[in-house]
Amino acid sequence: MSVSVWQADGKQPVREVDVLVVGAGIVGTAAALAIRRLGREPVITEARDVALGASGRNAGFMITGLDAYYHHAIARYGHDATREVYALSQRTHALWHDLISAHGVRFERIGSMLLAESEAEAAELRDAYAAMLADGLTPVFHDGDPLGRGYCAAIEQPQDGAVQPVELAYAALRESGAVLVENNELYAIEPGDGYVTVRTRKYTFRAQKVLLCTNAYSMYVHPYFVGKVIPTRAQVLATAPLDKPAINTCGYSDYGYMYYRMDFDGRLLIGGGRKQNKPAEHDTSDDRTTAGVQGILDAYLRQRFPDVTAPVERRWAGIMGFTPDGLPLVGTLPDMPDVGFAVGFNGHGLAMGAATAEVAAAHLLTGASPGVLSAQRDLSLWAAEH
Ligand SMILES: Cc1cc2nc3c(=O)[nH]c(=O)nc-3n(C[C@H](O)[C@H](O)[C@H](O)COP(=O)(O)OP(=O)(O)OC[C@H]3O[C@@H](n4cnc5c(N)ncnc54)[C@H](O)[C@@H]3O)c2cc1C
């Protein structure tokens, strides 16, 4: 990001703050809440407004775990790390559910179904299911198509559900009591003597600590994130409201590349289509839709939901932050130990966001270990298939 001498003219008033959070998505607002619970005073600065990034553009699937099949996760990360990640996801859901209950956030506990598009994928699901059972998890296996739409098998997690993610971010913001400075982009961070100077559009902040929750946009904030968090586009379509629901679960298939649910007003949402369009969707922070991906979504709508005749009412895109190994990154900047971060959600912010924010806040403010999420791990060790 660059800034002109007219925009940053040196006249921005200085504002002393305790802990400055950058970014007001679901992670930044959850981080503000975690910071408050550690007895500190959070202030959030946000370039746009609450949930105008990926947090307000996602499909709202609250799925426990990563969409990597459980046995693949064990093969990639090892058993202990996989259990730790799954536990972080359970903790994330517990934190979201507190907010959902306290603030009336719309949520439907309709479960999630990881569906097989082919017999080969069904065989993978059987192995994933066996690995989950062996770890004491309690998913439900469907041998055959539970939806009557031509799938081959499914793993159901009944505890999962569909949320309104913008309401969730506002709930976390309210619960945190944080002051939000919206429309206030960060231009530069500089280490000071016992504080961090953060130059933004409206103010020059002098902060005791700074926590970056800028996900896909992190490399524009600091070069440390170049190659560590890669902006990657995801796209969705939504039909006009239907007379009756076409599906009653958070369904996803083709190894997580396709996903579909009803919204709260009876629209069918279908997301995905990136697998066939990876070069165009990779390494971009342009959140316009493309004909290539939307064409795949249209075809999927016709193929799996031929009974749905309502027109497509809306199409949108958002930018996710992918890490080389598929796990979020928590740590502090090597050149600024008072600047922490919770970034790189790999399209799973609702699965991992709140607990990752909590771990990042504790790491920055108390020195607690970030465990499996530590950005100091060897990121080339567990290459993820994105
Ligand atoms: C189409 C789509 C579908 C998805 N579906 C799901 C799903 O069903 N389930 C799921 O778990 N996840 C899903 N995701 C992923 C999920 O949306 C993200 O993982 C999550 O929103 C990440 O939250 P965040 O707060 O880290 O990022 P964001 O919401 O992107 O927030 C980052 C914020 O930082 C701000 N920012 C950036 N730079 C600066 C700066 N210099 N100064 C100030 N502010 C700045 C941005 O404006 C933005 O508001 C999906 C994503 C997309 C795009």
Side-chain angles (χ1 to χ4, degrees):
M1 148 196 38
S2 61
V3 58
S4 74
V5 291
W6 323 120
Q7 292 164 332
D9 62 0
K11 296 196 180 122
Q12 286 73 12
V14 174
R15 204 162 152 175
E16 308 272 348
V17 300
D18 183 16
V19 186
L20 184 69
V21 176
V22 184
I26 50 173
V27 175
T29 52
L33 178 54
I35 289 162
R36 173 75 68 196
R37 287 179 175 159
L38 288 167
R40 305 287 295 258
E41 283 287 326
V43 171
I44 306 180
T45 183
E46 161 59 53
R48 294 175 277 180
D49 204 339
V50 177
L52 286 188
S55 295
R57 297 164 180 271
N58 59 52
F61 285 32
M62 265 175 59
I63 293 176
T64 326
L66 299 176
D67 69 9
Y69 289 3
Y70 200 81
H71 63 305
H72 289 173
I74 292 172
R76 186 186 301 153
Y77 306 123
H79 219 136
D80 289 348
T82 299
R83 285 201 193 103
E84 195 177 331
V85 168
Y86 202 91
L88 283 165
S89 184
Q90 290 171 320
R91 171 73 183 151
T92 292
H93 281 211
L95 289 163
W96 294 147
H97 277 297
D98 288 348
L99 293 168
I100 287 166
S101 308
H103 295 268
V105 175
R106 277 179 288 175
F107 172 81
E108 285 176 347
R109 195 182 290 275
I110 50 176
S112 68
M113 276 194 199
L114 175 51
L115 292 141
E117 298 274 0
S118 64
E119 285 303 332
E121 203 179 355
E124 294 270 33
L125 281 188
R126 278 184 203 97
D127 291 346
Y129 175 66
M132 291 175 92
L133 284 191
D135 260 4
L137 304 175
T138 54
V140 178
F141 189 74
H142 298 270
D143 208 355
D145 182 6
L147 301 182
R149 294 194 173 276
Y151 296 102
C152 300
I155 292 176
E156 182 179 0
Q157 295 203 96
Q159 75 274 20
D160 294 346
V163 73
Q164 212 291 19
V166 173
E167 291 177 5
L168 188 63
Y170 273 102
L173 176 65
R174 275 200 300 279
E175 187 73 26
S176 75
V179 171
L180 169 71
V181 189
E182 71 276 56
N183 194 14
N184 195 43
E185 185 175 8
L186 174 156
Y187 293 147
I189 323 175
E190 294 151 18
D193 194 5
Y195 57 86
V196 183
T197 300
V198 178
R199 300 194 188 281
T200 67
R201 213 171 72 78
K202 297 180 196 166
Y203 301 102
T204 297
F205 290 102
R206 283 168 53 131
Q208 294 301 307
K209 300 277 183 183
V210 176
L211 187 60
L212 302 175
C213 300
T214 43
N215 202 33
Y217 309 94
S218 300
M219 71 173 176
Y220 307 116
V221 172
H222 195 283
Y224 170 77
F225 297 106
V226 175
K228 292 190 175 71
V229 184
I230 295 111
T232 306
R233 185 164 51 212
Q235 303 190 32
V236 178
L237 65 71
T239 67
L242 311 181
D243 295 337
K244 61 180 174 49
I247 183 169
N248 192 25
T249 187
C250 293
Y252 60 118
S253 55
D254 196 10
Y255 300 88
Y257 281 106
M258 296 300 305
Y259 41 96
Y260 20 90
R261 63 168 271 202
M262 304 304 297
D263 80 353
F264 301 99
D265 301 310
R267 298 182 187 87
L268 174 63
L269 265 57
I270 300 184
R274 194 172 55 80
K275 191 171 95 177
Q276 300 85 339
N277 290 278
K278 280 192 181 175
E281 302 305 293
H282 180 80
D283 205 358
T284 176
S285 45
D286 175 357
D287 59 20
R288 282 176 291 187
T289 58
T290 62
V293 170
Q294 292 294 327
I296 301 271
L297 300 181
D298 285 331
Y300 198 85
L301 172 61
R302 286 192 298 273
Q303 181 205 349
R304 290 284 183 218
F305 300 91
D307 48 314
V308 174
T309 53
V312 172
E313 199 178 66
R314 192 166 304 197
R315 302 175 189 273
W316 70 86
I319 308 299
M320 310 178 289
F322 277 13
T323 60
D325 65 4
L327 295 180
L329 295 172
V330 170
T332 53
L333 292 179
D335 57 341
M336 285 181 258
D338 289 328
V339 180
F341 51 84
V343 296
F345 289 91
N346 298 281
H348 304 299
L350 290 165
M352 297 293 293
T356 302
E358 200 175 51
V359 168
H363 179 60
L364 178 66
L365 301 179
T366 73
S369 165
V372 67
L373 302 180
S374 171
Q376 288 184 357
R377 66 187 183 259
D378 179 356
L379 293 178
S380 65
L381 198 61
W382 301 328
E385 167 83 12
H386 284 310

